[in-house]
Every structure is written in C-alpha cells, then in structure tokens.
Amino acid sequence: MIKNARSHLEQTRLRVQIWGKAAIGLYLWQHIFEEHLEPANVTAQWREGSQKAGKTYFSFITGPSVVPGYFSVETENVVLVLNGREKAKITYATQWLHYAQTLIQTRKIQHVAVVLLGNEQCSNEWIQPYLKRNGGFVNLLFVTYDCALVNEEDVFQWPLGVATYRNFPVVEPSWSMLRDPRSYICNFLGTVYKNSSREALMEILKQDGLDKLCWIAAREQWQPQETNESFKNYQDALLQSDLTLCPVGINTECYRIYEACSYGSLPVIEDVMTPGDCGNSSVYNSAPLQLLKTMGAPFIFIKNWKELPALLEKEKKMSLQEKIQRRKKLIEWYRNFKAWMRQKFINILENSFLPSDKG
C-alpha cells in the first residue's frame, strides 16, 4: 500500500487550480475536460470540481463567490479564465490579474496561465504588458479568435466553444441523433443585421423557395438571454437539420459552429475575414478559423451565399446512409478535437510549469 501511495504521489507532479471567471471556463471544464461541477445548479454561488490528468491534479472553482482574497489559493500554479471582450469586462479582468500579480510577488503562487475570451476584432493589446516575455508575469496565454499574437510558444489559439453563458449543455450523441432522418435540410436561427451578408443569405433563401426546406427564424436584434422556448427551438432546429448555416457576425467564428457539431448538424461556414485586427498569426496562414482548419474540421466552407442553392440541390440527392456517415464523421471529429485540445492544454502547462528534467 505504501509503495502504491508513493508511486501515485510521484505521478502527480503538478497541482493546478483553475479560477473560472468567465463563462468560457465552463467550456474548458465541462466540455473539453468532460468534468462535473458540484453543486450542479448553474446559479450556485460557488461551484467546484477536480480531475487528475497526466502528471497533473486540476481543481476548478467558479461562481460569484470566487472573489480575490476571499478563497483559499491551494496551489502554486493558477489558470485564470477571463473575459476580455469589451471595456467593462477588461476592467474586471485586470483586477484579477493584479490580484494574481500580488500573489506572485508575495511568492504565494509561482506560475500563471490565462485563458482569455478575446475581443471579437482581436484588439487584445491590453493584455500584452502582463505577458512574461514583455516583462510581466503571465507564462502562457490561450486566446480565442484568430489573434495575431498566437505564436505556439507562449500564446496559443483557443476555441470559442458553445454558449455556456446561455447554459448550452454537454450533448451525448444518441442512436436517433445519428440515424434518424431529419425534417429540414438546413437551419438558421439568429439575428439579421442591416446591410450584412446575413441579409443577402435571407434573400437567397427566399428567392428560390429554399426557406421552405430549412428552419429559418430571423430576428432584427441580438438577445443575450434566450427564453426557454427560444432556446428549445434552437436546439430542436440543430437536431432536426442536416446542415447549420453559419454566416459571419462580428467575427467568423461563432458559438453556432460548435453547437451544431454537438448535434451532428454539419456547419456551412461563410469563410471570409471580418473587419478588425484578426488575421494570420506568425505560425498559421489559414485565417479565418485557423485552429479549426488546422485540425481538419470536416465542415463546408463557402465564400459567398450565392453558392448555397447548388449546395442544397446536392443535399436533396443525398441518401440517408450518406448523411448518417457524415454525421458520424462530424461527431467523431468533434470528440477528437476536444480530446486533442485537452491534451494540448495539459502538455503545454506541464512543459511550462514543471521543472525541466534536463539537470
């Protein structure tokens, strides 16, 4: 027993505490790490979980009660999950970074990584001074969208994931999800902004009567919170459609892409760069959606919605058997993608935080 206990202790060489202060932390923990939180109630003030992975023991804490100075810092290694999407969120994120900096200065912690919900136009300059290579203390940064800072050394691209802030669930693929015929060829439930490609998409669907084959529900204003009914409609649309149309918004990458994958509905992505500072990084040359493309996402990429009628014609001729194969491939790819992101995340932390064995 003593021998076993000792070898177990030796295997766990790193302890990491993740502070989930943005909804994207739930995607990391519940979807990528496939772990639970206690209590299960999403409105709880304090939720926690733990997992041993590789040489690392992870603990995760989240909720409104997780406040700087009011919880025990249990490890020397911290992953801070922050929202940097807009000014007010950045102010809040900065307070957490300053708290972490104090802990570093007083030697309470040794290493800090940040998982950041970046700005949709990739203007993330505010975080630069905090990076270790710029004289700061943040060892590693995982950031969403095609941020030019990504170098695969200390800055990595992170997937946007599903809208956990709307409590989008972890979906377990079922027999019927894979095999049942679906009532609609495609779906688009979302906001149609004035003078956007989404307007053009609506026109194309109406012109050819294609909107009769697809579940389309357009609204003019974005709503951060869904009603139960609209959210159930959205999930049903994903489950009942072979394709999910993903027009660009402020960014090309959207929650819809990952949510469609969860239900085996193939994303049809408008593959165009959006205005702003996003683009090719020093290591990737396939923006937009560098991470998904590099990982071989089996999506349909189109440059213009005018290509849609021909695509839908082709869909009509597909057999159920072909669609089942495609669904299996999509769900399998998405499962592997999440597993790969988890492994990559763990490897990067271990390589950076563990003392090197080179003597």
Side-chain angles (χ1 to χ4, degrees):
M1 271 171 66
I2 290 167
K3 199 173 161 193
N4 281 346
R6 191 172 292 147
S7 74
H8 181 74
L9 280 172
E10 280 166 7
Q11 285 162 3
T12 308
R13 294 181 52 201
L14 190 65
R15 296 179 80 82
V16 174
Q17 193 174 31
I18 305 173
W19 304 346
K21 294 313 298 176
I24 194 172
L26 297 176
Y27 185 68
L28 166 70
W29 191 249
Q30 294 178 312
H31 295 252
I32 288 182
F33 271 71
E34 297 185 315
E35 250 333 318
H36 298 289
L37 286 171
E38 294 292 332
N41 179 2
V42 294
T43 58
Q45 292 294 299
W46 175 283
R47 303 173 75 200
E48 61 185 63
S50 62
Q51 183 183 98
K52 184 180 179 304
K55 299 169 189 161
T56 307
Y57 177 81
F58 287 96
S59 55
F60 182 95
I61 54 172
T62 190
S65 289
V66 180
V67 176
Y70 288 88
F71 63 93
S72 65
V73 179
E74 291 169 4
T75 64
E76 293 185 333
N77 308 290
V78 168
V79 175
L80 194 42
V81 186
L82 299 171
N83 182 339
R85 185 163 269 198
E86 55 185 38
K87 227 181 178 113
K89 303 287 188 192
I90 291 169
T91 305
Y92 181 68
T94 307
Q95 291 168 0
W96 274 97
L97 285 166
H98 288 166
Y99 175 57
Q101 190 168 23
T102 308
L103 294 176
I104 288 267
Q105 285 162 350
T106 55
R107 301 184 189 276
K108 300 265 193 332
I109 61 175
Q110 273 192 325
H111 302 112
V112 177
V114 171
V115 176
L116 181 67
L117 175 65
N119 171 279
E120 286 176 282
Q121 295 179 319
C122 294
S123 39
N124 302 310
E125 299 74 29
W126 66 275
I127 195 136
Q128 291 251 51
Y130 295 99
L131 301 183
K132 196 150 199 173
R133 67 169 134 123
N134 298 329
F137 62 93
V138 173
N139 303 73
L140 302 165
L141 173 64
F142 300 85
V143 59
T144 59
Y145 305 118
D146 297 296
C147 180
L149 294 174
V150 170
N151 57 15
E152 289 291 321
E153 288 165 20
D154 61 338
V155 184
F156 305 86
Q157 188 169 357
W158 191 251
L160 180 63
V162 301
T164 42
Y165 72 96
R166 286 181 175 169
N167 300 321
F168 191 91
V170 174
V171 181
E172 291 300 332
S174 63
W175 192 89
S176 62
M177 186 195 292
L178 281 171
R179 297 183 172 275
D180 282 359
R182 300 192 172 193
S183 315
Y184 300 92
I185 289 184
C186 73
N187 78 78
F188 174 70
L189 280 68
T191 314
V192 177
Y193 304 102
K194 283 263 169 279
N195 305 319
S196 70
S197 68
R198 295 180 177 202
E199 272 195 336
L201 169 59
M202 290 299 128
E203 282 306 305
I204 286 162
L205 285 167
K206 276 184 200 133
Q207 265 168 20
D208 296 297
L210 298 170
D211 52 349
K212 302 203 172 40
L213 304 170
C214 297
W215 183 332
I216 306 296
R219 56 181 180 215
E220 285 179 17
Q221 282 211 301
W222 181 75
Q223 293 162 333
Q225 291 308 328
E226 296 279 357
T227 62
N228 282 346
E229 189 189 2
S230 72
F231 189 52
K232 177 153 184 359
N233 267 346
Y234 174 60
Q235 287 174 293
D236 283 348
L238 297 177
L239 188 55
Q240 288 299 327
S241 314
D242 288 309
L243 306 174
T244 292
L245 306 181
C246 302
V248 299
I250 301 170
N251 195 286
T252 314
E253 190 175 2
C254 57
Y255 298 115
R256 189 189 313 276
I257 296 169
Y258 300 89
E259 292 164 349
C261 289
S262 301
Y263 281 103
S265 182
L266 190 72
V268 178
I269 294 178
E270 184 182 6
D271 185 17
V272 296
M273 281 304 300
T274 45
D277 300 323
C278 301
N280 293 325
S281 66
S282 57
V283 283
Y284 293 131
N285 207 20
S286 47
L289 307 176
Q290 304 180 121
L291 179 62
L292 293 170
K293 287 175 182 169
T294 307
M295 288 299 299
F299 305 160
I300 296 173
F301 294 96
I302 63 176
K303 292 292 182 194
N304 192 308
W305 289 115
K306 288 177 183 158
E307 299 169 43
L308 188 63
L311 181 69
L312 296 185
E313 276 307 313
K314 211 166 118 193
E315 277 297 304
K316 285 185 201 168
K317 298 188 178 92
M318 267 183 98
S319 70
L320 178 59
Q321 208 44 48
E322 288 172 303
K323 288 178 178 178
I324 289 170
Q325 287 313 316
R326 184 173 67 183
R327 271 180 228 163
K328 281 183 177 171
K329 186 179 164 194
L330 175 65
I331 285 173
E332 181 76 1
W333 173 83
Y334 185 48
R335 202 178 67 213
N336 289 338
F337 171 75
K338 289 184 289 185
W340 184 82
M341 287 310 304
R342 174 179 173 272
Q343 201 48 54
K344 181 177 178 180
F345 183 73
I346 294 166
N347 290 350
I348 290 165
L349 291 186
E350 288 182 351
N351 289 339
S352 174
F353 291 179
L354 277 174
S356 134
D357 295 329
K358 288 169 191 157

